Amino acid sequence: MNTYHKVINIKTEIKISFEDITEQVQQCLKESKISNGIVTVFSQHTSCTVFIQEDSEDITYQKVPLILQDMVNALEKIFPTCQYEGQYLHPGPIHTQRAMELRDEKSEWMLNTDGHLRSVLLGRSETIPVLDGEMTLGEFGRIYFSDMDQTRARSRMVRVQIIGH
């Protein structure tokens, strides 16, 4: 049994952002030389998500694939974008004070509870079987990373772990 691990670095914007990382994960699989096993794609960031969705040839004016914009629209109905203090119970005064004192965070960065809730709903990882050196994503499957935190631009990491032989 062999194991391969790599980190994919992603820069995000001050909005819900999506990054199609399928090609990067395929490159990791090629580098691993593993032909049968599993690929796990994972984000350790609590307001980010990793998911599989089909490619959408059409895009919005903001260059978001239509199927992903449909997902954002649906999530907005479940977890509305956090726009003011007290809209959600989290982060609360203790968490906010500690974040500002210990991590030098700004109070406006605390308005990201919607991103945390959305990421829990969608999940932070995907596991894909590998057969004969190919990920079994199906005909239209793509691997996406999304940062659901709309409060600031960030540097994010996606971990790719491949095990097999």
Side-chain angles (χ1 to χ4, degrees):
M1 183 80 63
N2 296 317
T3 302
Y4 172 91
H5 181 265
K6 186 170 185 176
V7 172
I8 299 170
N9 294 301
I10 298 173
K11 299 269 190 220
T12 65
E13 301 177 35
I14 305 176
K15 64 178 186 173
I16 294 177
S17 60
F18 297 100
E19 184 81 24
D20 182 340
I21 59 171
T22 309
E23 303 301 325
Q24 292 162 287
V25 176
Q26 285 174 333
Q27 181 60 36
C28 290
L29 180 57
K30 184 178 177 181
E31 290 171 9
S32 77
K33 297 184 169 87
I34 293 173
S35 57
N36 291 289
I38 58 171
V39 174
T40 299
V41 184
F42 170 75
S43 171
Q44 63 196 42
H45 306 289
T46 57
S47 61
C48 297
T49 184
V50 173
F51 60 92
I52 297 172
Q53 185 52 272
E54 75 175 0
D55 188 14
S56 181
E57 287 81 18
D58 292 319
I59 58 174
T60 66
Y61 293 126
Q62 291 82 27
K63 299 187 177 12
V64 175
L66 294 184
I67 197 161
L68 300 181
Q69 186 61 56
D70 287 338
M71 182 179 69
V72 170
N73 295 348
L75 288 169
E76 181 68 27
K77 293 175 184 174
I78 300 168
F79 303 117
T81 299
C82 190
Q83 298 181 24
Y84 55 89
E85 184 181 354
Q87 181 177 349
Y88 291 97
L89 294 175
H90 177 80
I94 295 171
H95 179 86
T96 300
Q97 180 182 356
R98 288 184 179 162
M100 292 170 69
E101 289 173 359
L102 300 175
R103 294 182 295 278
D104 202 30
E105 294 187 13
K106 297 179 181 176
S107 59
E108 59 267 24
W109 294 350
M110 306 299 143
L111 299 177
N112 66 352
T113 301
D114 56 295
H116 290 280
L117 297 173
R118 292 170 181 182
S119 74
V120 168
L121 183 66
L122 295 173
R124 292 190 197 104
S125 68
E126 289 288 348
T127 301
I128 305 120
V130 174
L131 299 172
D132 298 324
E134 298 291 329
M135 290 187 290
T136 57
L137 288 171
E139 186 176 357
F140 302 108
R142 306 296 293 175
I143 304 167
Y144 289 95
F145 168 82
S146 179
D147 188 343
M148 297 281 170
D149 187 333
Q150 302 176 67
T151 62
R152 58 186 157 150
R154 295 266 191 79
S155 294
R156 301 296 202 170
M157 296 184 312
V158 177
R159 296 187 179 275
V160 178
Q161 180 113 6
I162 306 170
I163 60 170
H165 60 279

